């Protein structure tokens, strides 16, 4: 990994559909070399996948998102890993993080309705032996996701000419 | 009634882009590469610091020299970044943009009849400011074949017994040319031998893409014969805040301070607070903007060369300065027809001085999408001509 690899990653994260010629020109590499580096980054699983950022609210999807904090008793020999991996297997769970502070694991859970999410948590998560406490917070509105603000503010008008 | 206009106000020219302004007004769907300012908004942490200080009632004058913490931070920043040392108490003045800094620097040192050698092509305000003091601006051609640098020979050629100062602006608006430490070394002896002052406008210093910026005051032999001008507009996307600064040895700084006191009193406090925040918290935002300019430069300059407009790779600032000679049009005709026929706004190089003739200035401080579309439109325009 060098500066050029990092630059390639930034550019792909921002727009994974950027034409390879453009990308190569911008990072000051021949096209072949840029392609080779991207392949290497894919093979090293540094690039995990290429996906779209979607404003689901705008798409009319009524799905709800919740942030669930868990207090967990760690297991001898495994710590938090085994329970976290088990939780991560559920389709409903979109993200799992071990965090510092009052709680141990923070989950991002999506479901069709609030009831669905609540049921999922009470039936599948809260019932696990190691879970000592859960708290569920439903997202009301998304203002920014993946670094992209969702409000469409008009850019301020610039003069067409200035020295 | 008498004609009230002063002789000096009469002889300074109108800006060379007024005609284009008028043409552009009312046109839809124009892509403007004519703008000399960043397309980014000021980073939010900088804005937020200023908003907070307004809420706290910080709305008064500052000391004439500028808000003391800002001057101290500037001195530290200049030392760290460019290896120049200036006293925040006796050598630095915070000004209302670099425009004011250039004006008071010139007024502090130029007497009627003095000649000031000015890099050509260059930002448009230097020559009129010199004229307003009764001095005479003398153009110093910087050619594409020399990568738009100042060469010792070209400099020597313009020096006369009346020459008092040399005014340079690197990285250059409009060419994107830069001067390295070696380039400055090559002209330092000439400045010393002829006992000349150097006025160095370095407002694009942070937008240097290859190597690091050289501030000529970091050369020991030039330290005490240099006035360093710089500001926040370009590096931190802060054009509207109007904050620049002037650094010079105490005697020159004192002279400039008198003028600053009488004409400006002090730079706006909101801007100074924002500038102080920029120095403390703006580094990462600035670096990201610089990275983006470099990507755009690569994309755009490759595009210009591909469609047949030969373009020197700019090493700094955010301008490309391609030659349009191949089209058989003058730079003015090119700019006017490109605007009318393809709705891309660029500035003819001759607006920046005689040596800019045959080139156009294209600012790449606009989105990559805009740049790609602009290259496409320029390609269509050029292909009918060559």
């Amino acid at each position: 990994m060098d500066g050029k690899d990092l630059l390639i990653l930034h550019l792909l994260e921002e727009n994974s559909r950027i034409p390879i010629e453009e990308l190569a020109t911008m990072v000051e590499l021949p096209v072949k070399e840029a392609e080779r580096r991207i392949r290497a980054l894919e093979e090293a699983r540094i690039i995990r996948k290429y996906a779209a950022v979607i404003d689901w609210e705008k798409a009319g999807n009524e799905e709800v998102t919740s942030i669930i904090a868990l207090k967990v008793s760690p297991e001898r020999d495994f710590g938090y890993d085994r329970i976290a991996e088990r939780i991560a297997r559920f389709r409903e769970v979109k993200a799992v993080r071990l965090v510092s502070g009052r709680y141990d694991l923070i989950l991002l859970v999506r479901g069709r309705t609030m009831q669905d999410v609540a049921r999922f948590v009470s039936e599948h998560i809260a019932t696990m032996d190691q879970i000592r406490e859960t708290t569920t917070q439903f997202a009301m509105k998304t203002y920014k996701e993946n670094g992209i603000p969702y409000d469409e503010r008009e850019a301020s008008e610039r003069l067409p000419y200035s020295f | 009634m008498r004609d009230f206009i002063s002789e000096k106000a009469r002889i300074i020219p109108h800006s060379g882009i007024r005609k284009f302004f008028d043409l552009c007004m009312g046109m839809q769907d124009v892509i403007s590469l004519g703008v000399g300012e960043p397309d980014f908004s000021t980073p939010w942490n900088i804005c937020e610091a200023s908003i907070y200080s307004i809420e706290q009632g910080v709305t008064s004058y500052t000391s004439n020299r500028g808000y003391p913490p800002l001057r101290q931070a500037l001195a530290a920043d200049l030392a760290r970044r460019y290896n120049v040392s200036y006293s925040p108490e006796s050598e630095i003045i915070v000004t209302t943009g670099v425009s004011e800094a250039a004006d008071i620097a010139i007024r502090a040192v130029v007497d009627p009849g003095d000649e000031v050698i000015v890099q050509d092509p260059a930002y448009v305000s230097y020559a009129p400011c010199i004229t307003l003091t009764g001095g005479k601006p003398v153009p110093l051609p910087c050619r594409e074949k020399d990568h738009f640098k100042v060469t010792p020979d070209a400099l020597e050629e313009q020096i006369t017994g009346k020459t008092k100062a040399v005014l340079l602006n690197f990285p250059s608006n409009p060419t994107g040319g830069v001067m390295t430490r070696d380039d400055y070394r090559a002209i330092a002896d000439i400045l010393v031998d002829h006992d000349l002052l150097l006025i160095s406008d370095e407002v694009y210093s942070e937008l240097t893409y290859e190597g690091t910026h050289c501030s000529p005051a970091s050369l020991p032999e030039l330290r005490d014969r240099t006035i360093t001008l710089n500001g926040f507009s370009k590096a931190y996307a802060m054009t509207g805040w109007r904050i620049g600064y002037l650094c010079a040895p105490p005697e020159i700084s004192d002279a400039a301070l008198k003028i600053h006191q009488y004409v400006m009193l002090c730079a706006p406090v909101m801007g100074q607070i924002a500038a102080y925040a920029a120095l403390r918290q703006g580094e990462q935002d600035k670096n990201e903007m610089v990275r983006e300019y470099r990507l755009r430069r690569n994309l755009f300059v490759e595009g210009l060369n591909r469609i047949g407009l030969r373009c020197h790779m700019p090493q700094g600032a955010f301008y490309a300065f391609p030659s349009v000679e191949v089209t058989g049009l003058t730079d003015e005709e090119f700019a006017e027809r490109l605007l009318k026929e393809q709705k891309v706004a660029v500035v003819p190089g001759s607006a920046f001085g005689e040596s800019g003739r045959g080139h156009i200035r294209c600012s790449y401080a606009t989105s990559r999408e805009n740049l790609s579309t602009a290259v496409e439109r320029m390609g269509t325009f050029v292909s009918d001509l060559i």
Side-chain angles (χ1 to χ4, degrees):
Chain A
M1 285 286 279
D2 59 7
K4 300 244 188 227
D5 281 336
L6 287 176
L7 203 48
I8 289 171
L9 291 175
H10 280 295
L11 286 166
L12 288 175
E13 186 175 38
E14 178 194 304
N15 174 15
S16 58
R17 301 175 68 174
I18 187 171
I20 185 71
E21 294 79 13
E22 239 173 69
L23 181 130
T25 301
M26 283 196 282
V27 303
E28 297 163 59
L29 287 173
V31 170
K32 282 258 177 316
E33 170 66 5
E35 281 172 338
R36 191 198 61 74
R37 281 169 180 256
I38 291 173
R39 241 187 343 267
L41 291 165
E42 288 166 353
E43 278 160 16
R45 308 246 303 139
I46 290 169
I47 296 172
R48 301 297 282 247
K49 64 188 278 188
Y50 298 95
V53 177
I54 290 161
D55 186 340
W56 283 112
E57 280 170 44
K58 208 171 197 174
N61 191 322
E62 299 290 299
E63 228 175 45
V64 293
T65 298
S66 66
I67 292 147
I68 295 162
L70 306 177
K71 283 190 182 168
V72 182
S73 306
E75 294 172 279
R76 195 187 178 102
D77 297 337
F78 296 105
Y80 296 98
D81 289 354
R82 216 163 63 157
I83 181 84
E85 279 156 20
R86 206 170 140 205
I87 290 170
R89 284 174 173 240
F90 289 104
R91 179 189 47 78
E92 292 86 343
V93 176
K94 303 300 175 190
V96 183
R97 288 188 176 85
L98 178 66
V99 297
S100 62
R102 272 163 49 83
Y103 291 90
D104 303 307
L105 293 178
I106 301 284
L107 322 183
L108 200 78
V109 173
R110 286 228 179 85
R112 218 164 35 80
T113 63
M114 281 187 172
Q115 285 74 11
D116 278 1
V117 172
R119 195 178 313 122
F120 169 74
V121 173
S122 60
E123 287 178 9
H124 295 285
I125 304 292
T127 51
M128 290 180 180
D129 286 345
Q130 298 85 348
I131 306 295
R132 290 186 284 123
E133 189 183 324
T134 73
T135 159
T136 302
Q137 291 167 298
F138 287 100
M140 315 289 280
K141 183 175 176 183
T142 304
Y143 293 93
K144 191 174 182 181
E145 183 88 48
N146 286 344
I148 298 165
Y150 277 19
D151 61 333
E152 281 156 32
R153 204 174 308 130
E154 284 287 310
S156 70
E157 190 84 358
R158 288 195 302 163
L159 297 171
Y161 288 99
S162 69
F163 286 114
Chain B
M1 211 160 54
R2 277 193 292 165
D3 183 349
F4 291 110
I5 307 305
S6 74
E7 181 59 25
K8 280 174 182 158
R10 200 190 318 279
I11 58 174
I12 56 173
H14 274 296
S15 124
I17 45 174
R18 248 184 25 153
K19 177 170 88 178
F20 291 90
F21 238 117
D22 297 342
L23 273 175
C24 201
M25 286 300 137
M27 277 174 83
Q28 296 290 311
D29 188 32
V30 173
I31 293 184
S32 177
L33 309 180
V35 192
E37 68 175 330
D39 59 319
F40 301 107
S41 296
T42 306
W44 183 248
N45 53 1
I46 297 174
C47 297
E48 210 279 333
S50 186
I51 292 167
Y52 177 73
S53 77
I54 293 172
E55 285 174 348
Q56 298 304 301
V58 183
T59 56
S60 49
Y61 295 134
T62 67
S63 96
N64 297 129
R65 271 197 186 276
Y67 179 52
L70 171 60
R71 274 184 282 134
Q72 270 147 24
L74 269 176
D77 198 64
L78 288 166
R80 180 173 66 85
R81 239 180 257 290
Y82 308 131
N83 201 24
V84 290
S85 117
Y86 283 111
S87 153
E89 284 80 33
S90 62
E91 295 185 311
I92 299 177
I93 305 172
V94 179
T95 58
T96 304
V98 187
S99 305
E100 192 221 342
D103 180 32
I104 64 174
I106 289 164
R107 284 202 264 178
V109 300
V110 178
D111 279 318
D114 285 345
E115 290 181 3
V116 180
I117 294 174
V118 182
Q119 161 190 357
D120 181 8
Y123 179 63
V124 294
S125 84
Y126 307 132
C129 282
I130 294 162
T131 305
L132 286 171
T133 64
K136 183 183 167 202
V138 176
L140 165 60
C142 296
R143 308 282 185 203
E144 187 182 357
K145 68 174 171 55
D146 303 316
H147 307 287
F148 299 110
K149 292 170 191 289
V150 172
T151 63
D153 292 347
L155 175 60
E156 203 119 40
E157 219 166 281
Q158 304 306 327
I159 295 173
T160 72
K162 292 181 179 164
T163 308
K164 189 166 202 180
V166 178
L167 199 162
L168 302 181
N169 163 228
F170 289 103
S172 155
N173 173 9
T175 67
V178 301
M179 290 276 280
T180 63
R181 199 167 180 81
D182 286 340
D183 295 327
Y184 280 117
R185 266 203 203 104
I187 61 166
D189 286 348
I190 302 173
L191 295 170
V192 174
D193 290 348
H194 294 270
D195 197 13
L196 303 177
L197 182 80
L198 174 60
I199 303 174
S200 174
D201 175 355
E202 300 167 35
V203 72
Y204 292 97
S205 60
E206 285 301 291
L207 309 186
T208 298
Y209 305 112
E210 246 75 46
T212 49
H213 171 75
C214 173
S215 196
S218 65
L219 276 67
E221 64 270 44
L222 294 181
R223 165 62 170 79
D224 288 331
R225 56 175 69 248
T226 299
I227 305 179
T228 303
L229 313 177
N230 209 328
F232 291 81
S233 295
K234 314 295 180 178
Y236 297 96
M238 289 177 63
T239 49
W241 300 86
R242 310 305 308 126
I243 299 296
Y245 50 94
L246 176 155
C247 309
E251 317 78 64
I252 296 176
S253 174
D254 276 352
L257 183 63
K258 281 193 279 179
I259 304 167
H260 173 70
Q261 240 163 30
Y262 291 129
V263 301
M264 202 59 73
L265 217 160
C266 68
V269 64
M270 297 81 183
Q272 294 195 64
I273 299 286
Y276 182 47
L279 289 181
R280 284 177 306 151
Q281 313 163 24
E283 183 85 11
Q284 204 176 337
D285 281 292
K286 184 194 68 194
N287 291 344
E288 277 174 27
M289 291 190 275
V290 173
R291 185 179 76 189
E292 178 61 29
Y293 291 136
R294 182 180 177 142
L295 295 172
R296 293 172 180 180
R297 174 197 72 159
N298 295 342
L299 191 67
F300 185 60
V301 172
E302 189 273 333
L304 289 175
N305 283 306
R306 178 159 38 81
I307 62 170
L309 294 179
R310 186 190 72 232
C311 185
H312 162 260
M313 181 58 93
Q315 309 286 301
F318 41 56
Y319 307 105
F321 202 60
S323 165
V324 296
E325 266 165 20
V326 67
T327 62
L329 302 177
T330 68
D331 53 320
E332 283 185 0
E333 288 164 347
F334 185 97
E336 190 171 337
R337 281 186 52 187
L338 180 65
L339 177 60
K340 283 184 180 156
E341 295 171 28
Q342 290 293 332
K343 297 185 173 181
V344 176
V346 299
V347 181
S350 54
F352 300 91
E354 268 311 302
S355 303
R357 217 167 268 292
H359 292 262
I360 52 168
R361 188 195 75 172
C362 309
S363 161
Y364 50 85
T366 187
S367 69
R368 285 184 232 149
E369 295 73 39
N370 275 348
L371 291 172
S372 294
T373 313
V375 167
E376 229 170 84
R377 293 185 187 179
M378 291 167 87
T380 309
F381 178 68
V382 169
S383 65
D384 290 342
L385 299 166
I386 54 179

